[in-house]
Amino acid sequence: MFHPEEATVSHPAPPEEPTGVYIIDPVRSAIGFSARRAPTAGVHGNFTVFEGLLKLDGVCPTRSEAYLSVQTGSVDTGCPERDARVTGPEFLDSATFPLMSFRSTGVLDAGDDRLHLAGYLRVKDAELPVHLDLEFRAASREACGRGRVGLEGTLTPWIAGPGPGGNATPGPGGVPISDRMKLTIDISAVRTRPGQSR
């Protein structure tokens, strides 16, 4: 005979909030860019070599941090001549400045699995204040037990470079800033094991 008081109902465990240090997985991540020098001219491509980490606090998301480093010489636009121009002294000057980096300085929990990051993007020898809105995808766990998170967002800073016709606008530290670059970030990151830094 069935007794309701003896019945047990199993409830799914609440989703685990991602917490800890997560290393960006370059195989499952992508960093794209678009840049324009004029309203009708634009360049689109990807950076193929990058690394970074996320320090996530699921209990208090505003304590989270993000760091990203991109090799400026890893540009891929699908055209070798255009790659050379983008990585050359006219634009990114990767021979002199091989890295472009982002570091967060503050995080705001925007709700609905969204974070609003304030930080600095270092391009050439200038640090540009930027804002980055990130949206989290559902956290998951790999067969080996490690946690994985996904996030995506768009960052639009002013980038150091010569202005059209030489009429550049001075930027931080007197560096000319005129070209517009938008970075599109689609990242998958894996939680590190205790004692693992990379």
Side-chain angles (χ1 to χ4, degrees):
M1 183 175 178
F2 176 73
H3 297 282
E5 65 273 9
E6 295 178 357
T8 59
V9 178
S10 61
H11 297 280
E16 179 182 351
E17 295 294 340
T19 297
V21 177
Y22 289 73
I23 301 296
I24 292 176
D25 179 357
V27 176
R28 300 188 182 181
S29 303
I31 298 180
F33 73 88
S34 61
R36 59 182 172 86
R37 297 180 59 84
T40 58
V43 176
H44 300 264
N46 296 285
F47 291 103
T48 60
V49 183
F50 51 86
E51 63 181 1
L53 63 84
L54 310 171
K55 295 182 179 179
L56 302 180
D57 189 325
V59 176
C60 185
T62 57
R63 296 177 182 173
S64 300
E65 302 174 29
Y67 302 89
L68 178 66
S69 178
V70 177
Q71 292 192 18
T72 55
S74 69
V75 165
D76 180 9
T77 64
C79 173
E81 292 80 7
R82 190 162 52 229
D83 294 350
R85 183 176 181 182
V86 174
T87 59
E90 180 184 7
F91 198 64
L92 290 175
D93 195 4
S94 62
T96 307
F97 305 99
L99 294 179
M100 175 173 62
S101 60
F102 169 80
R103 60 181 178 88
S104 64
T105 56
V107 179
L108 175 66
D109 185 357
D112 296 327
D113 294 323
R114 295 176 180 270
L115 293 178
H116 182 75
L117 277 67
Y120 285 94
L121 181 72
R122 186 167 188 82
V123 184
K124 293 187 174 180
D125 54 356
E127 275 203 325
L128 314 177
V130 294
H131 293 274
L132 174 62
D133 289 309
L134 291 176
E135 179 179 358
F136 272 89
R137 296 190 293 271
S140 61
R141 187 169 295 278
E142 297 183 327
C144 63
R146 291 193 303 174
R148 181 180 287 271
V149 297
L151 51 91
E152 56 186 331
T154 301
L155 181 152
T156 309
W158 288 104
I159 186 170
N167 296 322
T169 303
V175 178
I177 297 174
S178 60
D179 292 348
R180 192 74 168 180
M181 172 177 276
K182 179 171 68 176
L183 297 178
T184 304
I185 299 172
D186 188 347
I187 285 176
S188 180
V190 180
R191 184 175 179 179
T192 61
R193 298 184 179 90
Q196 179 185 2
S197 59
R198 293 183 63 85

